[in-house]
Amino acid sequence: MADIAAQPFQAAEQDGPVLAADGRPLKASLARALRRQRLRAFMLVAPLLFFILITFAAPIADMLFRSVENQIVPDTLPRTVLALQTWNPDSGELPSEAVFEAMVADLKDAREAKTHTRVGQRLNYESPGISSLFRKSGRGVRRIEEGPYKEALIDVDDGWAEIDTWRTIAQFSGNYTDGYFLAALDMERTPEGEVTILPDEDRIYLFLFGRTFVLSIMITLSTLLLGYPVAYLLATLPLRTSNLLMILVLLPFWTSLLVRTSSWIVLLQQQGVINDFLVTLGLIADDNRLQLIFNQTGTVVAMTHILLPFMILPLFSVMKTIPPSYMRAAKSMGANDWTAFWRVYFPNTLPGIGAGAILVFILSIGYYITPELVGGTSGTFISNRIAYHISSSLNWGLAAALGVILLGSVLLLYWIYDRIVGIDNVKLG
Amino acid sequence: MKLRLTTVMAAAIGGSMAITAASATDLTIVSWGGAYSASQQKAYHDPFMAKNPGVQILNDESSAEAVAKLRAMNEAGNVTWDIVDVVASDAIRLCDEGLAMEINPDEWLAPAPDGTSAADDFGDLLVSECFIPQIVYSTTFGYRTDMVGDNPPTDICAVFDTATYPGKRSLEKRPINNMEWALICDGVAAKDVYDVLSTDEGVDRAFAKLDTIKDDVIWWSAGAETPQRLADGEVVMGSTYNGRLFSVIEEEKQPVAMLWDWQVFDLDGWIIPTGLPEEKMQVIKDYIFFATDTQRLADQAKYISYGPARQSSAPLVGQHAELGIDMGPHMPTDPNNAKNTLLYNYEWWADNRDDLDAKFQAWLAK
């Protein structure tokens, strides 16, 4: 007994490191125990981690990588790309016979592998018309047996006699390109190689990014204004009543998104329920019905309704934890209702506001179906353009570039939020 | 107990494998869903399965995203579709991308009953080496008969005439067709439309014409939207596919009429994805041969008002299977309907679609 009690004392007496019971240095022993603990924790989450990496993170990274990838041009036209290095795009002259010969050989190979039209599509994003140039030339090039190749290729399609065609190929011959990012920022590279901003009437993406952020902020604010009193009621009413109210909040949450969006169309359209009601009351004339949908109003109204539960639920769970005695204490010390609310209750709900606002804002920035259906032209988001480029125009490079910019700006906003409010102050319950 | 469970499971698995082996082949056919898939089910799928009891046809309704999904499947190396129904412009893109098989019509398709080869019977409609046309449809206008007074429109330019025909119009949210109609109503001859549209001034001219009705347009992106808006009285006129208007007028008896002037013909048909296993090819070939013969194409017109793509099918088009009305006068190709027509210019739009679409979206957003 005395021996055991003496040991730590002795250890403290020593000059060397503190020892654990088994004689190893305490620091190492502790580190080992912690390491084992960490390993165990890691092993526990590993299946989920690998699942997310393989099915979520890796595909996203692969998709985002497409925003700079341009392998298809050097892969399909290797000889041409090499031969074009000696050509001066500013010379004002067509490339030499050797380049044409290389192009004919590349086109023949590409025709075999059926890749000539793909490279045509890629270059068509930069210069309209190249798509059919490659499609036609793929057919015609089979007939070219011998030189002079320049005349023969121009004979197949006179697009090859235009210097801009060659400039475009030379410009986008690298393994990587900034073309998609420039397009996503409403810029382009002229055939001379300078970066210029598109003329005013062709600009669209920056404008759409701006609109997406402004509308998302409006939606966040209106969910907060509408959701705060509801959450307060839910948190303060007796359990029976508040449970019933809670079901009313959750019921739309469980209803299909498309059903809720479509019902807003029924309500808000010009021959819809709300306009009919206002006309019956005589508030508006029959031939002067309000345009409430297929514009920004429609998007804000429908999305506010759809995202409302995401604001109410975090607010509710935070408000639930605020003891009613705080308000009573404030009032007993002479505060009126407003002061007690503003100085005591409201600051306590800030973590819930932060959580709800971040949830709603980030969800609405990436929202797609509702703006597509009720947004008309003035209420659509950048996500609608991304979806268009993924599923319709097949310009996945541009879609990826737009996605990178959207992701980057959300991360930036998140960082700013963390700096100003502090992410530790966010509470989901 | 545990042993018994394992035995039962093994038996079940063995049994289901035996069933799979016996039931031979599943054929996954991708189409548009709704009334269109129903017409294919009745005209093609059901008779084909009756003839080939070993084949089970599975329907997938993904045609609207077919190009993107096929590209994704191809990159993943796992193509699960056997036959895909797409519009011609998508078929051309799939062919360009190497995602659809090239097809020799005379080898794959049945000749006409009089012996005309398939290539001649389909004629100009074989717009891509990978495309097997099925129907001709058109994008055209319908209008509310009760909202135009005593002066029903007969001319496409009624769309741009908001003084005579006040009210909203429903137009598709893309430049294709709208640009052509705008130029025609701005006085450009139909044969010059694409020459004019190839210049910057021509594009500006088309946008300037569209500007005159911009505030009166509700844009659509799904074919069902215009019929819905017409039925609700939300718009006075709107463009959509002629089959959709047929069902609003004849099946739902809404006060809507067709404005066929300068309808734009387009094609819909089959493609076969590349990279399918060899053993599937025979069934696919059998199906395509069966479903695109003269009688089968004419049969589809019993269920939906789209014109068969074979010349030899046209005389066989009869009456609607349920309504009992003659389908001939409802076909976009009927001479009374086809006085002024445009054919979708596939090559021009393949080149200029991306560029003009960006301009169109920028114009819309302004």
Side-chain angles (χ1 to χ4, degrees):
Chain A
M1 183 73 198
D3 213 28
I4 295 166
Q7 239 179 11
F9 183 63
Q10 271 173 5
E13 286 284 277
Q14 281 171 4
D15 247 0
V18 185
L19 294 183
D22 56 359
R24 294 162 188 266
L26 182 62
K27 209 172 159 188
S29 179
L30 199 66
R32 213 181 55 168
L34 279 177
R35 201 162 52 233
R36 209 178 302 131
Q37 216 172 8
R38 250 184 263 134
L39 191 70
R40 195 182 306 133
F42 178 76
M43 294 300 277
L44 280 173
V45 298
L48 182 65
L49 183 71
F50 284 124
F51 179 76
I52 287 178
L53 275 181
I54 291 167
T55 63
F56 189 69
I60 288 181
D62 175 64
M63 201 65 211
L64 295 183
F65 179 65
R66 286 165 198 261
S67 58
V68 290
E69 203 237 64
N70 194 45
Q71 228 96 35
I72 179 153
V73 181
D75 280 1
T76 319
L77 310 170
R79 282 162 282 211
T80 312
V81 167
L82 198 68
L84 268 177
Q85 283 173 357
T86 55
W87 176 61
N88 175 12
D90 301 324
S91 64
E93 283 172 26
L94 281 175
S96 64
E97 174 72 12
V99 175
F100 278 89
E101 189 177 349
M103 179 57 93
V104 169
D106 282 337
L107 274 176
K108 280 184 176 171
D109 283 358
R111 162 82 205 180
E112 278 306 299
K114 298 204 177 86
T115 50
H116 62 294
T117 43
R118 293 179 75 167
V119 83
Q121 282 225 324
R122 160 70 191 102
L123 292 171
N124 203 56
Y125 296 140
E126 311 298 340
S127 170
I130 291 199
S131 170
S132 68
L133 175 67
F134 273 82
R135 199 177 315 120
K136 262 194 225 158
S137 307
R139 261 182 250 136
V141 80
R142 280 178 298 183
R143 292 195 303 271
I144 303 178
E145 297 294 342
E146 55 189 21
Y149 292 101
K150 192 182 254 182
E151 283 74 20
L153 200 56
I154 291 173
D155 201 37
V156 169
D157 192 314
D158 53 13
W160 296 112
E162 279 169 33
I163 293 178
D164 279 353
T165 304
W166 293 100
R167 276 183 171 162
T168 307
I169 297 173
Q171 205 172 23
F172 295 94
S173 61
N175 282 328
Y176 300 99
T177 176
D178 57 3
Y180 295 123
F181 271 102
L182 290 178
L185 293 168
D186 290 334
M187 292 189 269
E188 67 175 351
R189 210 177 268 279
T190 58
E192 288 77 38
E194 288 163 39
V195 174
T196 54
I197 295 178
L198 287 174
D200 196 33
E201 67 269 18
D202 290 349
R203 278 181 230 160
I204 173 162
Y205 296 115
L206 288 181
F207 175 75
L208 277 180
F209 274 116
R211 179 199 280 166
T212 305
F213 282 106
V214 170
L215 286 188
S216 296
I217 289 169
M218 280 171 67
I219 290 159
T220 311
L221 288 179
S222 48
T223 51
L224 179 62
L225 278 177
L226 291 173
Y228 199 90
V230 178
Y232 179 78
L233 261 184
L234 282 172
T236 49
L237 281 178
L239 201 61
R240 246 154 66 105
T241 342
S242 77
N243 271 348
L244 187 74
L245 266 180
M246 193 57 152
I247 288 173
L248 291 182
V249 170
L250 288 177
L251 208 58
F253 200 48
W254 295 329
T255 315
S256 155
L257 175 68
L258 280 174
V259 172
R260 279 183 288 163
T261 306
S262 311
S263 47
W264 275 112
I265 299 179
V266 175
L267 285 173
L268 293 177
Q269 64 184 354
Q270 283 198 305
Q271 305 295 325
V273 177
I274 291 176
N275 265 310
D276 280 350
F277 185 63
L278 292 176
V279 169
T280 318
L281 286 183
L283 288 174
I284 53 171
D286 195 15
D287 54 355
N288 191 25
R289 289 167 174 250
L290 300 175
Q291 182 70 47
L292 296 172
I293 204 158
F294 309 126
N295 55 20
Q296 298 193 352
T297 319
T299 302
V300 173
V301 169
M303 281 184 58
T304 300
H305 169 237
I306 285 163
L307 294 175
L308 204 49
F310 292 98
M311 181 61 91
I312 293 179
L313 293 178
L315 276 177
F316 166 74
S317 57
V318 167
M319 286 175 177
K320 202 77 187 150
T321 60
I322 303 172
S325 52
Y326 283 14
M327 290 286 274
R328 287 203 293 271
K331 281 182 202 165
S332 76
M333 292 168 119
N336 60 20
D337 284 352
W338 169 252
T339 318
F341 167 76
W342 185 245
R343 300 278 300 276
V344 177
Y345 194 80
F346 181 77
N348 273 305
T349 59
L350 273 179
I353 295 178
I358 284 195
L359 259 176
V360 171
F361 183 75
I362 288 181
L363 278 174
S364 56
I365 269 190
Y367 234 63
Y368 150 70
I369 297 172
T370 305
E372 180 73 30
L373 287 176
V374 302
T377 55
S378 64
T380 46
F381 284 5
I382 191 71
S383 49
N384 298 103
R385 290 312 288 165
I386 297 179
Y388 169 81
H389 285 304
I390 289 282
S391 63
S392 258
S393 81
L394 283 197
N395 192 346
W396 286 6
L398 181 54
L402 291 169
V404 169
I405 295 172
L406 189 60
L407 182 64
S409 42
V410 170
L411 290 178
L412 183 73
L413 283 177
Y414 186 79
W415 179 77
I416 293 172
Y417 183 91
D418 187 33
R419 292 297 299 268
I420 297 174
V421 183
I423 212 66
D424 300 338
N425 287 330
V426 165
K427 227 160 75 181
L428 282 167
Chain B
M1 183 64 207
K2 197 175 180 185
L3 186 84
R4 257 187 64 197
L5 192 70
T6 330
T7 330
V8 170
M9 275 172 66
I13 291 167
S16 68
M17 275 167 75
I19 291 165
T20 322
S23 73
T25 334
D26 285 341
L27 204 57
T28 305
I29 298 186
V30 182
S31 188
W32 299 90
Y36 193 67
S37 280
S39 73
Q40 291 177 327
Q41 182 76 36
K42 288 176 195 151
Y44 310 149
H45 301 355
D46 288 343
F48 182 76
M49 285 192 285
K51 236 179 106 188
N52 301 275
V55 180
Q56 184 64 36
I57 291 178
L58 309 173
N59 285 300
D60 187 320
E61 303 185 349
S62 304
S63 280
E65 306 96 47
V67 184
K69 284 197 173 174
L70 258 185
R71 191 201 253 189
M73 282 187 199
N74 193 281
E75 290 195 6
N78 180 25
V79 179
T80 57
W81 293 347
D82 298 316
I83 300 173
V84 188
D85 189 298
V86 289
V87 292
S89 57
D90 283 346
I92 292 172
R93 280 196 297 167
L94 287 167
C95 209
D96 280 358
E97 295 246 341
L99 298 171
M101 275 177 63
E102 287 186 16
I103 278 158
N104 177 359
D106 288 334
E107 178 199 332
W108 277 70
L109 310 175
D114 64 0
T116 312
S117 76
D120 289 339
D121 203 15
F122 281 104
D124 294 340
L125 303 187
L126 293 164
V127 292
S128 156
E129 284 109 338
C130 305
F131 183 59
I132 308 157
Q134 188 185 147
I135 53 136
V136 178
Y137 70 95
S138 81
T139 307
T140 187
F141 280 87
Y143 60 90
R144 286 282 295 208
T145 48
D146 56 347
M147 289 167 73
V148 293
D150 309 329
N151 186 20
T154 53
D155 183 339
I156 183 89
C157 298
V159 174
F160 296 90
D161 184 357
T162 48
T164 319
Y165 304 102
K168 298 273 181 192
R169 286 102 167 95
S170 182
L171 292 179
E172 188 171 5
K173 202 196 262 183
R174 64 173 195 178
I176 301 169
N177 300 349
N178 292 328
M179 303 294 271
E180 287 96 325
W181 287 325
L183 283 182
I184 286 174
C185 289
D186 202 38
V188 176
K191 63 177 168 50
D192 301 330
V193 161
Y194 292 102
D195 290 338
V196 174
L197 217 45
S198 298
T199 62
D200 285 345
E201 298 76 38
V203 172
D204 291 345
R205 194 172 159 188
F207 280 134
K209 186 69 183 174
L210 285 168
D211 264 331
T212 61
I213 55 166
K214 194 175 179 186
D215 292 339
D216 297 297
V217 174
I218 306 177
W219 302 93
W220 61 268
S221 40
E225 288 176 75
T226 294
Q228 185 62 51
R229 287 171 194 164
L230 280 170
D232 289 349
E234 187 75 8
V235 295
V236 58
M237 55 182 81
S239 68
T240 187
Y241 314 125
N242 70 291
R244 304 270 189 175
L245 288 170
F246 172 82
S247 72
V248 170
I249 297 169
E250 295 297 338
E251 289 168 12
E252 291 166 34
K253 304 286 180 204
Q254 295 293 323
V256 175
M258 306 284 296
L259 171 59
W260 290 103
D261 195 36
W262 290 114
Q263 52 170 323
V264 182
F265 283 147
D266 198 350
L267 304 169
D268 188 85
W270 304 113
I271 61 103
I272 319 291
T274 47
L276 290 177
E278 204 48 51
E279 63 267 20
K280 270 275 175 82
M281 290 318 291
Q282 196 50 50
V283 185
I284 293 172
K285 274 189 167 174
D286 286 348
Y287 177 87
I288 292 289
F289 190 88
F290 175 82
T292 58
D293 73 12
T294 301
Q295 184 59 48
R296 241 48 63 185
L297 286 187
D299 283 351
Q300 196 187 358
K302 280 186 205 161
Y303 306 102
I304 200 153
S305 65
Y306 294 127
R310 271 180 189 259
Q311 280 156 18
S312 61
S313 298
L316 303 177
V317 171
Q319 293 184 330
H320 192 280
E322 280 134 37
L323 301 173
I325 49 173
D326 271 337
M327 291 303 278
H330 294 283
M331 292 292 156
T333 41
D334 186 82
N336 281 323
N337 303 333
K339 283 176 194 140
N340 288 323
T341 62
L342 282 173
L343 179 62
Y344 189 119
N345 190 330
Y346 300 105
E347 185 158 320
W348 195 87
W349 279 111
D351 278 347
N352 296 283
R353 185 177 175 166
D354 292 315
D355 185 47
L356 264 194
D357 195 79
K359 287 196 166 80
F360 185 78
Q361 293 297 335
W363 172 80
L364 274 185
K366 292 282 154 356

